[in-house]
Amino acid sequence: MSKAPQERAFESLTDKISRERGVSCGSYKDKCLKRRIAVRMRARGVHTYEDYAAILDRDAHEYQELLDALTINVTKFFRNVETWNALRPYLDALARSRPSLRVWSAGCASGEEPYTIAVLLAEAGAQGLIDATDVDRLSLERTRQAKYPDAAFTEMPANLRHRYFRDGQPVEPVRELFERQAQERLFQVFVDALAPGGVLLLGKVETLFGPARERLTLVDPRERIYTKPA
Ligand SMILES: C[S@@+](CC[C@H](N)C(=O)[O-])C[C@H]1O[C@@H](n2cnc3c(N)ncnc32)[C@H](O)[C@@H]1O
C-alpha cells in the first residue's frame, strides 16, 4: 500500500533537514519529531510540511529556530558517573603509553562532557587536547562561556569539583586541555580520526551504526565503549 501524501511530505521534509543541516532525523522517534516540527509550524502559521519546507528555504533564522527545537541538550558533568568510571582504565592506559592524547567530544552540548574529560585527563596526569563539537550553535556558545550553575555538578564527585572548578568555572589547567571547537562530522569521520588501539566512548544512549560499526570492536556493550584494532 502506498504511503499517505502527508507521510511522504513529512519524510521529504526530514530528509531535507538531514541532508542540508546534518541533523540525522532518523535517530528520533517520528512522534517526537512531528511534535517538535508542529511547534515551529504553528509559530509560523503554516499547516503543511511543504509550506514549512518553503519557509526553511528562504528563512535561515527559522532554520536555526527549528534546529534549536530539534536538538536535545541534556547534559551534566560526569553524567552517568559509572560510564566515566568504566572509561578511566582506558584513559589511564593511554596516558601511560602516549606522550599526548587527542580527544573528541562529539555532541558536546554546553561543554560539561568535554570538561569532564579534561578533569579525567588531568587526574590521569595526561597531556593532550580535546575537540568539542556540536550542531547546536547555542550550545557551543555556552561551551565557550564555560560558566556553570550548581545543577550541572550534581553527579560530579565533590572532591573533583573542588579541585578543578572555582565559582562554577573550570580552573586553568583544565581549560588548557580544551580549546578547540568546530562542527560535528559523521561516525565515519570519528573512526578515521581514531588511532589504531584508540577508544571511542558513546555512552548508554547512542549506538554506532553504518560502515563505521564494522571497523571498531565493541568492548563494553553497556557503556558502548569501542576500540579500534591496532
Ligand atoms: C543529549 S546531548 C548530550 C551531551 C553530552 N554528550 C552528554 O552526554 O552529556 C546531545 C547533543 O548532541 C548534539 N547533536 C545531535 N545531533 C547532532 C549532529 N548530527 N551533529 C552534531 N551534534 C549533534 C545536540 O545538539 C546535543 O547538544
Side-chain angles (χ1 to χ4, degrees):
M1 212 171 68
S2 68
K3 289 185 180 167
Q6 205 194 354
E7 208 45 44
R8 276 204 303 274
F10 173 72
E11 270 179 26
S12 127
L13 176 64
T14 54
D15 285 351
K16 171 188 173 68
I17 298 165
S18 299
R19 201 174 52 243
E20 293 178 351
R21 296 303 170 104
V23 177
S24 168
C25 294
S27 59
Y28 290 87
K29 296 260 180 303
D30 268 10
K31 234 169 96 181
C32 161
L33 203 55
K34 280 182 177 151
R35 202 173 50 239
R36 286 158 185 245
I37 292 174
V39 169
R40 291 310 315 159
M41 286 172 63
R42 264 200 306 281
R44 298 303 302 260
V46 292
H47 303 288
T48 69
Y49 293 122
E50 287 93 338
D51 287 349
Y52 187 63
I55 292 184
L56 294 181
D57 283 338
R58 59 173 192 267
D59 186 345
H61 178 72
E62 178 55 34
Y63 226 137
Q64 197 53 50
E65 291 286 322
L66 174 67
L67 293 183
D68 288 346
L70 287 184
T71 49
I72 301 165
N73 307 118
V74 179
T75 188
K76 270 174 194 250
F77 295 107
F78 286 81
R79 183 161 82 105
N80 297 326
V81 69
E82 67 280 12
T83 301
W84 298 105
N85 286 337
L87 184 70
R88 269 177 193 250
Y90 296 94
L91 281 184
D92 287 344
L94 287 169
R96 277 195 303 272
S97 63
R98 286 158 208 237
S100 172
L101 300 184
R102 190 78 186 274
V103 181
W104 184 356
S105 168
C108 64
S110 34
E112 288 85 337
E113 178 178 281
Y115 279 117
T116 296
I117 296 166
V119 165
L120 289 177
L121 291 187
E123 284 287 288
Q127 302 291 315
L129 190 63
I130 301 165
D131 287 308
T133 65
D134 201 287
V135 74
D136 181 13
R137 281 185 317 179
L138 222 65
S139 289
L140 282 181
E141 193 41 48
R142 294 207 181 101
T143 302
R144 241 169 247 130
Q145 284 166 0
K147 182 119 184 63
Y148 298 99
D150 280 349
F153 293 92
T154 53
E155 294 194 41
M156 184 171 187
N159 61 329
L160 295 181
R161 177 179 179 177
H162 291 131
R163 199 170 305 154
Y164 294 106
F165 286 81
R166 300 275 178 281
D167 300 325
Q169 292 187 291
V171 296
E172 203 45 51
V174 169
R175 278 194 94 98
E176 274 168 13
L177 282 164
F178 168 45
E179 56 185 27
R180 291 167 44 111
Q181 293 154 24
Q183 287 293 301
E184 190 198 329
R185 287 154 267 169
L186 302 172
F187 275 143
Q188 277 283 39
V189 186
F190 298 178
V191 182
D192 288 341
L194 211 55
V199 175
L200 174 67
L201 168 72
L202 291 186
K204 287 187 197 310
V205 183
E206 312 293 342
T207 306
L208 190 62
F209 54 83
R213 174 69 194 89
E214 308 304 315
R215 297 170 58 200
L216 298 184
T217 309
L218 180 60
V219 290
D220 185 332
R222 183 188 286 261
E223 306 304 344
R224 310 259 163 76
I225 296 175
Y226 299 78
T227 56
K228 186 167 180 176

